[in-house]
Amino acid sequence: LFLKVLNPLRTKIDCFQRKYLRKGQLKEQVIIRYIVKELTLYFLVCFLFFFMIFFVNNILLLAEEILKQRVPFADVARLMLYCLPGVISQSAPFATLVGFLMCLGRSMSDNEILIFRASGFGFHSILRPVLILGMVISVVSFFVNDYLLPLSNKKYNKKLTH
């Protein structure tokens, strides 16, 4: 008697879950969140790598002038602060390219893209977070290049001549 009541209820619950909750399928929001998390992680690692390379390069280029003139530490710190927008504008495009390629390459080698495709997601669903995150990084880079870089270069040159 208990099984007679439970079986129709179980089938109704399964129908409800398939229809409204997409039971047995990956939800697109979960996939998008996963791809964005992975892309962001690889971008940040690559950004820090390229940032350190370009920042150390700027420090080494300034070291000779700083040591000759015996500049106070506060002025050296200010010069390094004025170098940051230039370093960011150099490292963001490289980090975006290398980070996204590393992330997508790892996804391909781990067959994650194949799993997404087998789950019913098209390439446009997989590529959408890549394009959106790339556009966000481009807008931030445009702001840094258009507003912060000229301002910091002007202050940097002014500080360097004094």
Side-chain angles (χ1 to χ4, degrees):
L1 179 68
F2 182 72
L3 290 175
K4 285 184 180 181
V5 173
L6 188 61
N7 281 338
L9 182 62
R10 186 178 299 158
T11 57
K12 286 183 182 181
I13 289 174
D14 282 344
C15 288
F16 174 79
Q17 286 179 339
R18 278 191 207 102
K19 185 175 182 180
Y20 295 106
L21 301 179
R22 298 173 68 185
K23 181 182 174 189
Q25 297 178 1
L26 292 172
K27 291 191 175 185
E28 190 169 356
Q29 294 87 6
V30 174
I31 299 299
I32 289 173
R33 197 174 314 132
Y34 172 74
I35 293 172
V36 167
K37 184 185 80 159
E38 289 291 313
L39 287 170
T40 305
L41 175 71
Y42 278 94
F43 169 74
L44 289 176
V45 168
C46 289
F47 182 78
L48 289 175
F49 175 75
F50 285 114
F51 182 84
M52 290 306 297
I53 288 174
F54 291 128
F55 191 66
V56 167
N57 184 30
N58 277 349
I59 290 173
L60 292 176
L61 291 174
L62 284 175
E64 185 179 346
E65 292 180 34
I66 290 171
L67 292 175
K68 280 182 185 176
Q69 297 176 1
R70 296 197 180 266
V71 179
F73 179 74
D75 290 339
V76 173
R78 196 168 290 123
L79 281 174
M80 291 298 120
L81 183 68
Y82 295 151
C83 287
L84 289 181
V87 172
I88 291 171
S89 71
Q90 287 177 333
S91 47
F94 290 116
T96 304
L97 177 67
V98 173
F100 283 17
L101 286 176
M102 284 175 54
C103 179
L104 294 174
R106 190 200 56 82
S107 296
M108 287 294 290
S109 68
D110 290 348
N111 292 326
E112 291 177 359
I113 303 294
L114 182 66
I115 293 168
F116 296 154
R117 295 281 295 144
S119 298
F121 294 101
F123 283 119
H124 65 279
S125 298
I126 299 167
L127 197 58
R128 188 178 314 135
V130 176
L131 294 175
I132 290 172
L133 195 58
M135 291 299 291
V136 168
I137 293 170
S138 296
V139 167
V140 171
S141 293
F142 179 78
F143 171 74
V144 168
N145 289 337
D146 195 48
Y147 179 70
L148 294 179
L149 188 62
L151 185 66
S152 68
N153 280 342
K154 186 186 295 184
K155 289 184 179 184
Y156 176 81
N157 290 333
K158 188 179 201 181
K159 191 69 171 172
L160 202 58
T161 56
H162 288 298

